Amino acid sequence: MASIGFDNLPVPAGRNMLASGGLGGLAGFLLANLTDFVSPAYMSWQRSGDLLIMVIFGGMGRLYGAIIGAMAYLTLESCSPTIRSTGR
C-alpha cells in the first residue's frame, strides 16, 4: 500500500491482508461473471510484470504516479506496433 501512497501504519497488518484478499476475490468474481469463464491463463507472469512496470514508470509513493505510469505504459504498448511497422 505504501508504494501507491497510502500510509499503512495506522491499520494493523491483518486488516490490510483482509482488504487485499477481499478486493482480489471481488475482482475474480466480477471477471468470472463478465466472461462466464474462469481460467488460470488470465493471470500469467506477464500480467504481473505489466503491473510492476506501470508502477515503476509512474514512481512509488503517490497514487497519481501509478495512474500516470499505467497511462504511459498503455500508450507505449499501443504505439509500438505502429512504430515497428513504419520503421520510425
Side-chain angles (χ1 to χ4, degrees):
M1 294 294 288
S3 66
I4 59 171
F6 291 108
D7 185 22
N8 58 358
L9 291 178
V11 180
R15 211 177 290 166
N16 285 341
M17 289 183 204
L18 182 66
S20 175
L23 288 175
L26 177 64
F29 168 76
L30 292 174
L31 177 68
N33 193 23
L34 176 71
T35 60
D36 292 332
F37 180 72
V38 177
S39 171
Y42 282 130
M43 284 305 289
S44 62
W45 66 270
Q46 290 97 348
R47 180 67 60 195
S48 298
D50 290 345
L51 296 173
L52 186 61
I53 290 171
M54 289 176 192
V55 171
I56 291 171
F57 276 175
M60 294 173 56
R62 300 278 182 232
L63 180 59
Y64 64 82
I67 294 170
I68 291 170
M71 289 189 312
Y73 179 76
L74 294 174
T75 301
L76 285 173
E77 187 178 46
S78 65
C79 291
S80 64
T82 56
I83 293 171
R84 274 189 250 139
S85 64
T86 61
R88 295 184 193 178

